[in-house]
Amino acid sequence: ICAAVLALLCVLPPSLVADYDARTPLNFNGYWHAFPVARCLPEFTLGILAFRLAGSSVGRRLAASRWVAPALCLTELVLLGLPKTDLYIVLLVPLLVVALTSEVSVPGRLLASAPIERLGKLSFSIYLVHKLLLGLESGIYARAHAAGLPHAQTLAAAVCIALTFPIALAAYRTIEVPGRRALRAVFEHRTFRLGTVPSRV
């Protein structure tokens, strides 16, 4: 069902999609449309299925292989450079995630390192923060270009990238973590009131 929904979204008429780009049919940027939500729900479900697959015998065999994760990484990188491959990229991600749950492969060991794990924890905050800095980047570029500074675009990008990480860290510590704890407390309280053991996962 997830694959069918995503495939349907890939063939929507351009007139229905804001900022339509034929090269990336799942790249929905129109916030007033329901299409981004229709894309995220199947992808979220695929994430749940990946979790279930990881605990199965098939998932354990995928994770135990030294070659599956590198092969999937290379495949995804190639697909990222090709137009109209969004659907294949998304459908391969759950298999890639399962293959990376072990540190047997080189990509698995790399992604299990402390710096990459830290970036993974900050990834959602980085995703939210970087959009807020696009206006600042444009402003820095305009001023640097008007002043005749060389590589004005690179300068603007470097400044905003340098700002992204401390702001994302602050957002992670002051918004994301407390918010997650608050939501967990609400749901655990409801579960406890129903007479079942609260989840600590």
Side-chain angles (χ1 to χ4, degrees):
I1 293 173
C2 291
V5 171
L6 292 170
L8 179 62
L9 292 174
C10 285
V11 296
L12 288 172
S15 59
L16 294 178
V17 183
D19 302 324
Y20 177 78
D21 188 343
R23 298 169 300 175
T24 55
L26 284 177
N27 185 25
F28 299 116
N29 293 316
Y31 299 113
W32 54 90
H33 287 298
F35 297 137
V37 176
R39 182 197 68 191
C40 290
L41 287 177
E43 291 176 347
F44 181 79
T45 306
L46 288 173
I48 296 173
L49 294 175
F51 175 77
R52 298 296 298 271
L53 177 62
S56 68
S57 58
V58 175
R60 287 190 288 271
R61 284 198 297 271
L62 285 175
S65 171
R66 293 185 177 183
W67 307 110
V68 172
L72 287 172
C73 285
L74 289 174
T75 302
E76 292 282 50
L77 288 173
V78 171
L79 290 174
L80 284 170
L82 300 175
K84 300 183 179 180
T85 56
D86 293 23
L87 178 63
Y88 310 111
I89 292 170
V90 171
L91 294 181
L92 284 176
V93 164
L95 295 178
L96 176 59
V97 169
V98 172
L100 291 171
T101 56
S102 169
E103 297 180 28
V104 172
S105 65
V106 173
R109 290 196 295 272
L110 176 64
L111 293 173
S113 64
I116 301 298
E117 182 182 359
R118 170 64 67 177
L119 284 176
K121 290 181 177 179
L122 295 179
S123 61
F124 185 61
S125 294
I126 291 172
Y127 169 72
L128 295 177
V129 166
H130 91 280
K131 294 286 285 186
L132 301 177
L133 294 174
L134 292 180
L136 176 62
E137 182 184 10
S138 299
I140 294 174
Y141 166 73
R143 290 177 178 272
H145 182 69
L149 296 177
H151 311 293
Q153 186 67 54
T154 303
L155 174 63
V159 170
C160 289
I161 289 172
L163 289 173
T164 295
F165 291 99
I167 296 174
L169 179 60
Y172 173 76
R173 290 179 175 175
T174 61
I175 300 173
E176 185 176 341
V177 172
R180 189 188 313 131
R181 287 174 180 166
L183 284 174
R184 184 175 294 150
V186 169
F187 286 109
E188 287 184 351
H189 177 68
R190 290 181 179 177
T191 304
F192 180 74
R193 292 188 66 178
L194 289 172
T196 57
V197 178
S199 171
R200 296 297 177 187
V201 178

